[in-house]
Amino acid sequence: MWWPVLLTVVFATVSAPTMFTIQQHNATNQVTTTDAVISGVILVAIIAIMILFGAKLFKLLNEQTIRFCMARMLKITAVMIAFSLILGVPFAVVLFATTTVIAKGIVAPTIGIGLFALVSLLGIIAMYVAFAPMNYVGVKYMIEPEMTLKGIGKAYKQGWKSLGKIVGFSLISSLVVFIAQCVISLPGVIAMFAATLSLQGIAYGDPSGLPSTFLTIYGMTMGVSCFISCILMIWFTLSEYYLYASIESKYRS
């Protein structure tokens, strides 16, 4: 499992300064076709590395080949994205309708702000709850070789029956990861904030106030943050596997 982590860290260390340089070009209206191509390549590489990282991690749990795990990761990732879009479209429609009602002055401004906040909160909660069983479905699909895409609906219903456990467990795990991520990302956020101020100055014609070693420091900072993020993701995946095993033992006993 060490080499996917190393690959992720090295890629983050190298790509972060590159993306910052492209942002500098954008701030000074000097973006080239090469910058666009590099940005696209980096985006594709990020997706590929994430899939490879997940496949290698699940390979340790299901004892299947890396090819099998890669294929499954691609399929379940596509399903997750499609399911997210299915949930997101109605939410976007409702939010747009609410914004339209407020913009037309049908309700008072103070009520409109409260209505928008309420609709947003309820929508986010509803989407989170509806998506929660997919955490169980994803792990089940990766662990059980006999499960096919046709069985996702049945697995989702099974996960729905344990909704309380899934939501509670996932919420706590996500909260732990979020808090830890905020702490470890602080150096990177500070560096990004300094970079943003510099880019704003460059956009107005001022010289960059960053030291000559900034790109190196920035890359190393992002690399260290990425390494800790990988550890957190491993822990999160293992906790989701524990949740899956807990639910499965309930139905198999």
Side-chain angles (χ1 to χ4, degrees):
M1 190 63 207
W2 64 269
W3 66 265
V5 175
L6 179 61
L7 175 63
T8 305
V9 171
V10 171
F11 180 80
T13 303
V14 174
S15 63
T18 303
M19 289 303 298
F20 177 74
T21 302
I22 294 175
Q23 290 174 350
Q24 282 184 313
H25 294 169
N26 185 49
T28 55
N29 295 320
Q30 296 179 350
V31 179
T32 63
T33 304
T34 303
D35 291 335
V37 172
I38 292 176
S39 298
V41 170
I42 289 177
L43 178 60
V44 173
I46 290 174
I47 296 174
I49 290 175
M50 289 177 62
I51 292 176
L52 177 62
F53 185 89
K56 183 62 178 178
L57 180 56
F58 275 106
K59 182 180 182 298
L60 300 177
L61 301 174
N62 59 19
E63 299 182 348
Q64 299 295 323
T65 63
I66 188 65
R67 181 177 180 181
F68 172 88
C69 294
M70 284 285 290
R72 291 241 158 179
M73 279 297 298
L74 286 170
K75 292 176 183 178
I76 197 62
T77 299
V79 170
M80 293 285 191
I81 293 174
F83 191 75
S84 299
L85 292 175
I86 292 173
L87 294 178
V89 170
F91 175 63
V93 171
V94 173
L95 205 60
F96 177 77
T98 304
T99 304
T100 303
V101 169
I102 297 172
K104 290 184 177 181
I106 299 177
V107 297
T110 52
I111 297 177
I113 295 175
L115 179 62
F116 181 83
L118 179 62
V119 171
S120 300
L121 179 62
L122 292 177
I124 292 173
I125 293 175
M127 289 178 62
Y128 183 85
V129 172
F131 190 85
M134 291 300 293
N135 294 327
Y136 162 76
V137 172
V139 177
K140 183 179 178 67
Y141 182 73
M142 290 299 301
I143 295 298
E144 300 179 8
E146 66 276 7
M147 182 178 172
T148 63
L149 291 176
K150 295 180 180 180
I152 287 180
K154 181 180 179 181
Y156 182 85
K157 293 178 182 179
Q158 188 170 325
W160 189 263
K161 295 177 182 178
S162 301
L163 183 63
K165 178 185 290 188
I166 294 176
V167 170
F169 195 89
S170 298
L171 189 61
I172 294 175
S173 299
S174 300
L175 186 61
V176 171
V177 171
F178 175 76
I179 294 175
Q181 192 70 51
C182 288
V183 174
I184 65 174
S185 298
L186 190 58
V189 171
I190 295 174
M192 180 60 72
F193 181 70
T196 301
L197 292 179
S198 176
L199 291 175
Q200 290 176 350
I202 292 174
Y204 285 103
D206 298 330
S208 175
L210 298 176
S212 58
T213 57
F214 175 78
L215 289 179
T216 302
I217 296 173
Y218 182 59
M220 293 177 63
T221 301
M222 297 305 294
V224 173
S225 298
C226 183
F227 172 75
I228 302 176
S229 297
C230 288
I231 303 301
L232 289 174
M233 288 309 301
I234 291 174
W235 175 83
F236 182 79
T237 302
L238 293 178
S239 66
E240 291 292 318
Y241 176 73
Y242 172 81
L243 176 63
Y244 153 80
S246 175
I247 295 175
E248 286 297 306
S249 64
K250 172 184 174 182
Y251 288 105
R252 293 179 181 180
S253 60

